[in-house]
Amino acid sequence: MFYLNFEYRWQPPKYPVIIAVSKTPLSSPFYVAKAIGAFDGTCVDVEFDEVVGGQRAFAKVMNGDADFGTSSDSVIAFKSLASRAFVTHAMFVQSDNDVKLITRASEKINSAINLKGRKIGVTKGTASEYFLSNLLALEGLTTEDVKLYHYKPEQLVNGFINNEIDTFVPWEPFGFKSAQLLHDIVKVHKTKGLNTLSFNLISAKADNLLVEKAKCVIQGLSIAIDYIASYPAKSKKIVMNELQLSAEFIDWVWPDYIFKLGLNQSLLLSVKSQAVWAIATQMSQFNEVPNVERFIDSRALLQVIPDAVSIPH
């Protein structure tokens, strides 16, 4: 009895944390972690606040409505320009085919040069807008050569259906859902490899306690990512059930995903290049590229997987 009482008394504290999770398969490690109880043996008691898009997850964190959020490197880049007090603790997935270019099939658009003068729907200040800029640059065009219309991610397809735009740039699952809904009316262009998007665990600038919580969240994510590698079919089923997605959609996106924890030079370069782009295109009122390293906090990941950190710390 004394031993049991001693063991109970010395159990690590459980910190309640709220994580704003973007409702996308890119957040799969979180859904798998929840389903298999990966956080149970850590110091955090996790509650999910599901939102549409990394921008909203970021806003939840900055408003104090969530302790952590899942956010793309694009959102991190654009928000870094405002010198907001936030950090990313770990990158947990990458995809080189998550953002899609969808055009009206009848327009017979075969390359980016055919986009000149077109009405294009994007989600402002996200990977959607950055992707379009890269695509146009391949043909020597800029966003000045097209007519941009800004929509929330879930409303892009409605703008297309209502003929407000004739091209749009969604991320998944909205790309797949649009293709399924509109069938032969649209053309989904092959742009795999044009741009790599990552999803990251972000928080407000962390004190020691928040770093400890981040460490425990990362421990759960590490368990989930190992599970995904060992049991891909079961993992896909979990994500399908959580997001109410079809098997066809999961098969559509899953091969493009690399689930791996890390903080590396590719993340720094991606954030910096997108921040430079935002200034160059006058998307932002700011004119100085920040020191992106100060938005990286490697302390938590170093305690869990030291080899996953390959940037100065």
Side-chain angles (χ1 to χ4, degrees), residues 35-78:
I36 68 173
F39 297 118
D40 292 351
T42 73
C43 74
V44 288
D45 183 12
V46 174
E47 176 186 342
F48 288 175
D49 182 359
E50 295 189 77
V51 297
V52 178
Q55 264 192 339
R56 293 177 187 173
F58 186 95
K60 288 271 187 179
V61 172
M62 290 295 98
N63 293 337
D65 296 325
D67 301 283
F68 299 96
T70 67
S71 205
S72 74
D73 50 348
S74 298
V75 174
I76 290 171
F78 304 147

Side-chain angles (χ1 to χ4, degrees), residues 4-293:
L4 291 174
N5 187 48
F6 178 82
E7 185 181 42
Y8 173 78
R9 284 168 177 256
W10 285 95
Q11 283 181 341
K14 275 281 190 180
Y15 302 109
V17 298
I18 298 173
I19 305 177
V21 177
S22 180
K23 295 176 68 174
T24 162
L26 287 165
S27 297
S28 290
F30 286 88
Y31 294 119
V32 171
K34 177 183 175 183
I36 68 173
F39 297 118
D40 292 351
T42 73
C43 74
V44 288
D45 183 12
V46 174
E47 176 186 342
F48 288 175
D49 182 359
E50 295 189 77
V51 297
V52 178
Q55 264 192 339
R56 293 177 187 173
F58 186 95
K60 288 271 187 179
V61 172
M62 290 295 98
N63 293 337
D65 296 325
D67 301 283
F68 299 96
T70 67
S71 205
S72 74
D73 50 348
S74 298
V75 174
I76 290 171
F78 304 147
K79 298 301 182 182
S80 72
L81 294 171
S83 298
R84 302 293 295 273
F86 73 92
V87 292
T88 178
H89 298 279
M91 178 172 62
F92 55 85
V93 66
Q94 289 181 289
S95 171
D96 67 351
N97 199 29
D98 195 68
V99 185
K100 303 292 196 299
L101 173 71
I102 298 181
T103 63
R104 204 175 299 277
S106 60
E107 298 287 344
K108 301 190 184 303
I109 293 174
N110 297 314
S111 72
I113 196 69
N114 303 132
L115 295 175
K116 189 172 183 178
R118 303 282 180 176
K119 297 182 290 183
I120 305 177
V122 298
T123 301
K124 186 176 178 62
T126 67
S128 168
E129 191 169 12
Y130 181 65
F131 171 89
L132 176 63
S133 178
N134 282 341
L135 185 65
L136 293 171
L138 292 175
E139 298 290 349
L141 302 177
T142 72
T143 51
E144 296 289 320
D145 295 304
V146 299
K147 299 172 184 177
L148 288 185
Y149 291 75
H150 300 125
Y151 294 86
K152 293 179 180 178
E154 67 274 21
Q155 295 175 349
L156 280 164
V157 69
N158 291 331
F160 182 88
I161 291 170
N162 295 333
N163 291 311
E164 298 163 2
I165 51 177
D166 43 38
T167 300
F168 60 109
V169 186
W171 55 72
E172 299 298 356
F174 302 109
F176 178 81
K177 288 182 176 179
S178 299
Q180 290 291 96
L181 176 66
L182 299 171
H183 298 288
D184 295 338
I185 296 174
V186 296
K187 176 180 179 180
V188 181
H189 292 256
K190 294 180 180 179
T191 53
K192 181 176 173 62
L194 177 62
N195 180 62
T196 297
L197 174 147
S198 71
F199 248 43
N200 305 266
L201 177 71
I202 63 108
S203 77
K205 193 170 182 179
D207 56 18
N208 289 338
L209 178 57
L210 196 52
V211 169
E212 176 69 9
K213 294 175 182 177
K215 180 194 77 175
C216 296
V217 172
I218 290 170
Q219 286 173 339
L221 290 178
S222 180
I223 293 169
I225 287 172
D226 287 345
Y227 184 92
I228 290 171
S230 299
Y231 306 103
K234 291 181 179 179
S235 300
K236 288 192 280 187
K237 186 69 174 176
I238 289 169
V239 177
M240 286 165 53
N241 291 338
E242 282 286 344
L243 296 178
Q244 298 182 333
L245 301 171
S246 66
E248 290 81 7
F249 171 68
I250 291 296
D251 290 339
W252 163 285
V253 297
W254 204 262
D256 299 322
Y257 291 169
I258 299 173
F259 297 107
K260 185 178 181 181
L261 287 163
L263 287 172
N264 54 39
Q265 287 295 332
S266 69
L267 175 62
L268 291 177
L269 290 172
S270 177
V271 171
K272 186 173 183 177
S273 65
Q274 291 180 77
V276 169
W277 167 79
I279 291 171
T281 58
Q282 299 179 340
M283 194 199 81
S284 166
Q285 70 268 35
F286 304 101
N287 54 22
E288 184 177 348
V289 178
N291 177 10
V292 297
E293 285 86 353

